[in-house]
């Protein structure tokens, strides 16, 4: 029994054996088919003959994915750790909407969240440069989280105040029906999306809009500056250190070549054989 | 009397004691309620039964905030320094609109400026990494102020000339009613907001618009470059120095570990116990 | 015969001799005329007297370019290597649409792909700084391909999920006719283009749109950060090395001044006399 | 006579003496009034009583500026060098439109180009940090001119090909009336302006538009990367060198402290007393 469990673990969690790789490719094909199916369904008219086939196919995919999720939980050593990991949550979210659709008919469209499972793609095909690229981006984003959060908070406050000002200046007769709606306009303007569904009509409103645009133009530079600086830093560090291992847990670098555990937090550095710990 | 004053100061300006912290959280809750109330009010129809409650609640909040502002002025050592500080101005602006609304009925929506008071959030919960992130961003913005100002001046001149050209080319019959309006169009285009409410109709106008877009595409890079370079510089400097203290007054770094005053400008480095000096 | 072939090769592939240069300029003029012609044709009414002239002129240009392509294939040492190179493919694509137009009348507009041939411009006029600038950009883009690909994959997944959510929230009655269309809206929003042809109508839809805009605002910084870091890296490396030669094949630098082959991959560093190897 | 000429030169070209400064401020006030006047004129209805006053005021300003331009030409040592310099051309362009308006009535709006003369502002008030900031930006832009030009060329070629494809796919019935117009759409999309006046209607058109948006999203990073890298480089260089003088002519740095002429090109480094040579 234990050997079967270990064998199942090898097949569904790793992509080193021929069978394990075949299983991963099989799941990837199913994900692609399933995502394509939901898109195709939304393109066809309701109550057509095709709708029946879509319905059965979707339940088919969901049952296979449910079985797979059960096998993953059963075969892994620490089921709870897997269930809380990024992929564990994605694997669960990928099957929930179909069951939910028994209660809320529209919910089954949300199985498009299955697309997230396709991120495993990089691991299956051993595209290590891509995993490396992704990890570098995630580390850079993670390290800049404090600054990004402060920036986001500042944006929310700016939008609140600009929205209130615009609501007072333009008022409901010019399409700024309430303060949340005026805040929505402020966000559409400051992010330079500019749908054009609500626009200031008065001279004062246009002057405020001009200020908001100039402000948006200036502060769009701030997140870019933060991310660039971190990515640049990653590249410089990566070039200077001979050992390129980064701790998946705390991001520490500068490990010795034979190190298997992070010298800062003790987490395993052995990425290949420890799939649940991977960020991507 | 003096000891009461000192005690009040400790409660409302600092968040180190249990009572001080409770006071800050109480004010934060009031701010959130007050901001939510104004938004909710703009969503409900006029003259409804709810409007009365909104009216009384708003005056309630304003009276509490006025009392708090008075206590702050009374308890602080240098009332004028506090009144001129960033938070002093915000605390005043947060109560003025309600009183103004006695004269101008629409003004009370502007109490959304109270949202700015929520910036104290970071200090209350000792989120030092965030205060650090914010200070770093403010320092980077401050150091690039000359270049940003020159850039802003250049944008204004470009918009003036492009607006005049567009007014001559397109004229009033195509929606470019006057030069300020054509300048507004130029700003909407150069910042890539692109509402689409006024658009060039003639071939010559479209060619000028194309040039403006290409220009906007190129020069959006300039503020980004300025900010990125400064943020990058901050990160490199921060990594090379062992002492990470930055002077709040002049931005100097490289202080000794036991330094309590800036080696460049003599301002106190003791951020925690000097709340009025904080930028954020 | 062999000497004629070598002479032809010198004239059409190189721009060092007077005749070779004259040939290149002649082809450049033909390209410009041909591109201008197709644009002019689309501006004139159908079945007019001018259409005949356009038709004959286009066939004239196509026959000249076909002859030139044949001469190139004949005179070059390794025809297959040329045919597979960037310019070989462009030279072929520049003549195919006219022949295709015998089957599909609209196809001949695609000869605007001839514009790509104008890239030879930089080589003809020995604008080495520009070739250098272009190669630097291409190297920076090439080195960031893994990270850009991961980022692109993440964008596609985000758009899929946001599109599905929006389709469920807004539905067909508000213009989100199907999931691919809702994904198109998500892309228009996240890239800050914001046409404004479909916009969320419900409060929930506007909140999701706000989140998407903030997300777009934040992640627009990621590709910028990646490219900037690589360009910056190029500039720093270029300044530190005395020999500025970069291998066209693998991008290695740090070659000795008399090096003619890459010390890393053995590819020829002799750009001037090896035109087929050029990236631009 | 010669001493009068020298005195006039001192007054109108320099801002070191009280009279020279007064003259500069007087001209600055005239520029501001004149620019405000043209804007105000475009806001008032035609043939009103005010139009007469606008007409006389404009001729008054133009005559003063013409006299000033004549005095500048007369008093400067090398009139031709001044006339060809940035400010020489701006000073001329600032008076030409009024004379042109005798032939073309609409031309007089173009005197808004006078706004460019306000750039002298920075010099008058000795705002050296701003002049420095501006020079740094201009140097960074100048040094990245090759890469920016290559990038601009690439954008033009991309727009041509995308425009042709879109014209074939969507055609005249969907608003893509001709290839130049489809190219205009491509530019509006790739720069993320997104007016929304022409939008693809077919599925194929929307897919091409999606690709163009993703491309625009990726390549908006390129100019940003180029400029950032150069600005960053300026900051690092500026910090490492003790002498911060940069040659106005060729951008060389690393001059000795007592250097008065550029060690690379021999141009004067003496910015203060050599106003015609200034870039800004």
């Amino acid at each position: 029994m234990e050997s079967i469990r270990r064998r199942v673990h090898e097949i569904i969690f790793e992509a080193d054996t021929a069978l394990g790789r075949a299983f991963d490719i099989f799941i990837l094909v199913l994900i692609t088919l399933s995502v394509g199916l939901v898109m195709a369904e939304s393109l066809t008219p309701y109550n057509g003959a095709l709708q029946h086939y879509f319905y059965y196919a979707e339940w088919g995919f969901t049952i296979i994915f449910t079985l797979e999720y059960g096998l993953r939980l059963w075969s892994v050593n620490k089921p709870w750790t897997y269930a809380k990991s990024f992929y564990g949550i994605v694997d669960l979210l990928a099957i929930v909407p179909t069951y939910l659709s028994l209660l809320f008919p529209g919910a089954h469209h949300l199985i498009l969240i299955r697309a997230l499972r396709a991120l495993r793609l990089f691991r299956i095909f051993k595209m290590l440069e891509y995993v490396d690229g992704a990890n570098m981006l995630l580390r850079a984003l993670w390290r800049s989280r404090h600054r990004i959060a402060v920036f986001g908070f500042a944006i929310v406050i700016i939008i609140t105040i600009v929205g209130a000002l615009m609501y007072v200046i333009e008022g409901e007769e010019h399409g700024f029906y309430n303060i949340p709606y005026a805040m929505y306009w402020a966000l559409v303007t400051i992010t330079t999306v500019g749908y054009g569904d609500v626009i200031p009509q008065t001279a004062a409103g246009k002057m405020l809009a001009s200020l908001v645009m100039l402000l948006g133009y200036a502060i769009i530079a701030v997140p870019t500056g933060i991310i660039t600086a971190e990515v640049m830093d990653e590249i410089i560090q990566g070039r200077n250190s001979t050992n390129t291992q980064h701790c998946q847990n705390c991001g520490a670098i500068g490990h010795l070549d034979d190190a298997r555990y992070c010298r800062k937090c003790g987490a395993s550095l052995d990425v290949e054989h420890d799939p649940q710990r991977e960020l991507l």
Side-chain angles (χ1 to χ4, degrees), chain A:
Chain A
M1 192 62 189
E2 183 58 29
S3 72
I4 296 172
R5 215 185 66 134
R6 202 172 294 161
R7 185 98 178 90
V8 167
H9 180 276
E10 201 176 290
I11 292 169
I12 63 176
F13 274 106
E14 284 170 49
D16 294 325
T17 59
L19 214 63
R21 207 180 149 102
F23 178 83
D24 280 347
I25 292 170
F26 172 67
I27 291 290
L28 202 64
V29 170
L30 287 191
I31 292 165
T32 313
L33 281 175
S34 161
V35 164
L37 202 85
V38 179
M39 287 190 193
E41 188 198 349
S42 83
L43 284 165
T44 53
Y46 280 119
N47 300 317
L50 276 165
Q51 292 294 63
H52 278 286
Y53 296 105
F54 284 135
Y55 183 80
Y56 293 126
E58 195 181 306
W59 273 104
F61 287 125
T62 302
I63 287 161
I64 296 171
F65 288 143
T66 309
L67 282 174
E68 185 213 346
Y69 184 67
L71 279 175
R72 280 182 191 269
L73 275 179
W74 173 67
S75 69
V76 88
N77 282 322
K78 298 175 178 171
W80 190 232
T81 306
Y82 160 68
K84 283 189 306 178
S85 75
F86 176 73
Y87 278 126
I89 291 162
V90 167
D91 291 349
L92 183 62
L93 285 177
I95 51 176
V96 163
T98 315
Y99 296 109
L100 268 181
S101 71
L102 296 172
L103 298 170
F104 314 101
H108 81 111
H109 295 293
L110 300 178
I111 64 171
L112 280 189
I113 218 162
R114 278 174 193 173
L116 272 177
R117 296 197 67 194
L119 284 173
R120 277 200 175 94
L121 178 86
F122 294 116
R123 189 163 59 83
I124 299 167
F125 296 105
K126 296 268 177 217
M127 292 187 280
L128 283 179
E129 304 91 347
Y130 295 93
V131 174
D132 221 56
N135 281 342
M136 196 205 226
L137 288 181
L138 287 174
R139 270 200 313 277
L141 287 171
W142 178 249
R143 283 216 310 251
S144 50
R145 69 192 180 284
H146 295 312
R147 266 163 262 148
I148 294 282
V150 166
F151 180 74
F153 199 70
I155 291 279
V156 170
I157 288 174
I158 289 170
I159 282 165
T160 307
I161 293 168
V162 168
L165 278 169
M166 212 64 183
Y167 177 70
V168 172
I169 292 172
E170 292 281 330
E172 307 188 18
E173 64 270 34
H174 293 136
F176 292 80
Y177 302 116
N178 49 58
I179 290 178
Y181 195 56
M183 287 166 66
Y184 171 73
W185 168 86
L187 185 63
V188 167
T189 299
I190 218 167
T191 56
T192 79
V193 171
Y195 285 138
D197 51 343
V198 217
I199 42 166
Q201 310 277 324
T202 65
K206 274 170 189 157
M207 284 183 69
L208 180 59
S210 299
L211 283 176
V212 171
M213 278 176 238
L214 277 177
L215 192 68
Y217 203 58
I219 62 180
I220 207 170
V222 175
T224 305
I226 296 168
I227 307 270
T228 304
E230 290 293 350
V231 171
M232 184 72 210
D233 203 51
E234 282 279 335
I235 287 179
I236 291 172
Q237 279 192 20
R239 199 145 297 170
N240 291 345
S241 90
T242 43
N243 183 312
T244 60
Q245 277 185 301
H246 289 257
C247 175
Q248 298 288 64
N249 193 44
C250 70
I253 60 157
H255 306 291
L256 292 177
D257 281 342
D258 54 336
R260 297 201 53 184
Y261 295 94
C262 174
R263 66 194 176 83
K264 286 273 175 62
C265 71
S268 170
L269 294 170
D270 208 347
V271 181
E272 279 311 287
H273 298 84
D274 200 9
Q276 291 100 305
R277 229 173 249 262
E278 268 173 47
L279 283 170
L280 194 83

